[in-house]
Amino acid sequence: MSAGALPGGPFFQYRGEELFVEDVRLADLARGHGTPLFVYSRAAMLSALAAYQRGFAGRKARIFYALKANSSLAILQVFARAGCGFDIVSGGELERVLAAGAKGSDIIFSGVGKTRAEMRRALDAGIHCFNVESEAELEVLSEVAAAMGTRAPVSLRVNPDVNPLTHPYISTGLKGNKFGIAHKEALRAYRRAAALPGLRVTGIDCHIGSQITQVSPYLDALDRVLDLVAAIESEGIALAHIDFGGGLGIVYNSEQPPAADVLWQRLLARLDARGYGDRQLMIEPGRSLVGNAGACVTEVLYLKPGEQKNFCIIDAAMNDLPRPAMYEAFHQIVPLRQGAGKPVTYDVVGPVCESGDWIGRDRKLAVQPGELLAVLSAGAYCMSMASNYNTRGRPAEVLVDGAQAHVIREREDAGDQMRKEKLLP
Ligand code: LLP
């Protein structure tokens, strides 16, 4: 990111004093659709995807977008049309990707707690692969598939026990995490998988965490996984693919994650050196494809000066943007119109009745009530994690493509929220 550029630039940038997303003025979208409003840049998503595609040029590799990062249908369509497959973690996500036009063979299914019903539905849809996370799951999946007269394609998610050097809540590849099959038990689990009647072993996978900004944890995990590949194949169990999961970080503030093509240059060099460079590769990126492609536009409701803190109360809250409350995450907050006023330091907070409902702490802003702000890097793990706490409707979403803006989700109202509820007789 060059000095003065915003995360999400050049797709989010000031023209004169006003913030634009591609060729659309964000303030116009706020006026037309209300706030809080999620706005995405299609070009930013495709540009993030292109970095991976460059990295994999000339290789056998497939990108499965991890839609937990943002599962809005139109966003899935963008990635489906660009040739991506999808990494799902629930039956609900399966229905979403199918509704967005993906085929079963474009889908892999991760997660530690798949139900039998989810397994059956995924087998019916003919998914590409189940990423199995425990020996107990192997047994159940085999039983379900055998009862359906089929064999489930499986890859075992191994836990390489490397430190991804990220926030503890989003580390997944350490011994103490609930994810994956322990490295030292993996060989035994593969033997079992190969012996079960309802399974067909197709690959191996790992995912060590999220918002990873360094290359070294990936290289360590790669080495650990390749050691296992060698051990498993020496027993006559062939692994058609190797899946390295997702996890690449983005810029929220001053992070400097490697670009996807740079990361993959390093990993492919290691794969080549170890003789696995022509293997079918798969990855499951989420955040790095959408995170910097989205912003949440919000209106300043009140300024509330205090003895210890000044508060800037906005109309977006922890139910719309849960990451600060959950992980003390940082998102840049910028005005839609750069003003000349004198900046004041505020805690930027939402209307939800919780002290944890803050979006940014100690931010210098020159704003007045009625003015609009953008919370940046909000394309990943915001809308998909949004809730209805305090009976707040989830925001509308707009996808911008050049000078065009498409509403891809209408704002939820109280009626939408109460639709499935019943009064007592
Ligand atoms: N594959 C698996 C098996 C995963 O568990 C995840 C994310 C991904 C792929 C995609 O990882 P990504 O490329 O997005 O880092 N809500 C948290 C992040 C949770 C990530 C969970 N797993 C946050 O807002 O920071």
Side-chain angles (χ1 to χ4, degrees):
M1 200 169 79
S2 60
L6 298 174
F11 307 101
F12 287 82
Q13 63 182 357
Y14 287 100
R15 293 190 187 170
E17 290 174 346
E18 298 207 80
L19 188 58
F20 276 68
V21 51
E22 298 190 30
D23 295 325
V24 177
R25 192 181 288 111
L26 276 169
D28 291 344
L29 294 178
R31 207 165 299 121
H33 306 289
T35 54
L37 179 71
F38 279 98
V39 180
Y40 306 107
S41 155
R42 177 173 173 274
M45 292 178 208
L46 293 180
S47 152
L49 177 63
Y52 281 103
Q53 289 166 331
R54 274 196 304 279
F56 286 133
R59 302 283 182 158
K60 283 188 283 183
R62 182 112 208 257
I63 299 166
F64 293 83
Y65 167 56
L67 62 141
K68 60 170 77 73
N70 189 318
S71 52
S72 299
L73 289 176
I75 287 175
L76 303 183
Q77 257 182 324
V78 168
F79 289 114
R81 287 176 183 169
C84 288
F86 296 96
D87 174 39
I88 63 166
V89 289
S90 71
E93 286 193 349
L94 175 59
E95 299 310 326
R96 278 190 175 273
V97 292
L98 293 173
K103 297 192 298 289
S105 55
D106 298 329
I107 300 167
I108 59 176
F109 194 169
S110 301
V112 296
K114 304 175 191 78
T115 66
R116 286 167 193 263
E118 286 172 327
M119 289 171 178
R120 274 192 287 272
R121 177 75 179 107
L123 284 166
D124 264 338
I127 69 163
H128 186 68
C129 185
F130 289 84
N131 289 343
V132 173
E133 304 230 11
S134 64
E135 291 186 55
E137 184 191 337
L138 280 179
E139 304 289 333
V140 171
L141 181 57
S142 173
E143 212 180 283
V144 169
M148 291 171 71
T150 185
R151 280 175 173 249
V154 296
S155 158
L156 271 56
R157 175 170 176 187
V158 300
N159 184 334
D161 191 26
V162 301
N163 188 344
L165 311 173
T166 181
H167 191 287
Y169 282 16
I170 51 178
S171 297
T172 52
L174 283 166
K175 259 188 208 153
N177 294 133
K178 70 176 174 183
F179 298 100
I181 295 173
H183 196 268
K184 65 176 181 14
E185 281 151 27
L187 196 54
R188 191 184 69 210
Y190 267 100
R191 285 186 199 122
R192 182 72 186 136
L196 283 168
L199 304 183
R200 178 163 54 85
V201 173
T202 63
I204 188 164
D205 87 290
C206 81
H207 171 80
I208 54 174
S210 199
Q211 185 56 15
I212 300 168
T213 54
Q214 297 178 46
V215 178
S216 60
Y218 277 105
L219 285 168
D220 293 346
L222 174 61
D223 277 330
R224 302 267 295 160
V225 169
L226 292 184
D227 293 346
L228 267 180
V229 172
I232 294 161
E233 295 199 324
S234 75
E235 301 213 357
I237 302 168
L239 299 173
H241 75 255
I242 309 179
D243 174 348
F244 289 107
L248 180 58
I250 62 167
V251 179
Y252 287 99
N253 192 13
S254 55
E255 302 87 344
Q256 294 182 310
D261 49 344
V262 173
L263 170 69
W264 275 95
Q265 227 170 18
R266 300 278 303 276
L267 294 176
L268 286 165
R270 181 70 60 93
L271 277 161
D272 287 340
R274 293 196 54 174
Y276 293 97
D278 59 357
R279 195 64 64 112
Q280 173 68 46
L281 304 175
M282 300 184 3
I283 54 165
E284 309 163 357
R287 185 193 319 264
S288 53
L289 292 179
V290 291
N292 284 136
C296 181
V297 179
T298 174
E299 183 182 321
V300 176
L301 298 175
Y302 302 103
L303 297 177
K304 185 171 174 181
E307 253 171 57
Q308 290 191 347
K309 289 257 179 193
N310 300 311
F311 293 102
C312 170
I313 302 169
I314 59 176
D315 66 358
M318 66 189 289
N319 69 297
D320 312 298
L321 295 160
R323 302 191 66 259
M326 281 187 78
Y327 320 111
E328 301 198 327
F330 182 96
H331 289 266
Q332 275 196 34
I333 303 173
V334 297
L336 294 204
R337 177 186 276 278
Q338 285 176 315
K342 191 169 164 291
V344 174
T345 301
Y346 294 104
D347 272 12
V348 179
V349 301
V352 162
C353 299
E354 297 260 356
S355 294
D357 180 25
W358 58 276
I359 306 299
R361 286 187 169 141
D362 297 321
R363 304 302 176 88
K364 282 200 162 40
L365 292 165
V367 280
Q368 293 302 322
E371 290 182 2
L372 297 165
L373 300 172
V375 180
L376 300 179
S377 309
Y381 301 112
C382 292
M383 190 60 185
S384 62
M385 289 171 62
S387 77
N388 290 123
Y389 188 36
N390 281 197
T391 306
R392 289 170 51 88
R394 286 178 301 164
E397 294 180 293
V398 169
L399 180 77
V400 169
D401 179 7
Q404 280 192 315
H406 307 279
V407 175
I408 60 167
R409 184 196 297 261
E410 289 175 14
R411 187 174 303 285
E412 240 174 5
D413 62 23
D416 296 326
Q417 292 183 60
M418 292 186 284
R419 187 145 301 135
K420 292 275 191 177
E421 295 184 45
K422 302 231 185 304
L423 289 169
L424 293 173

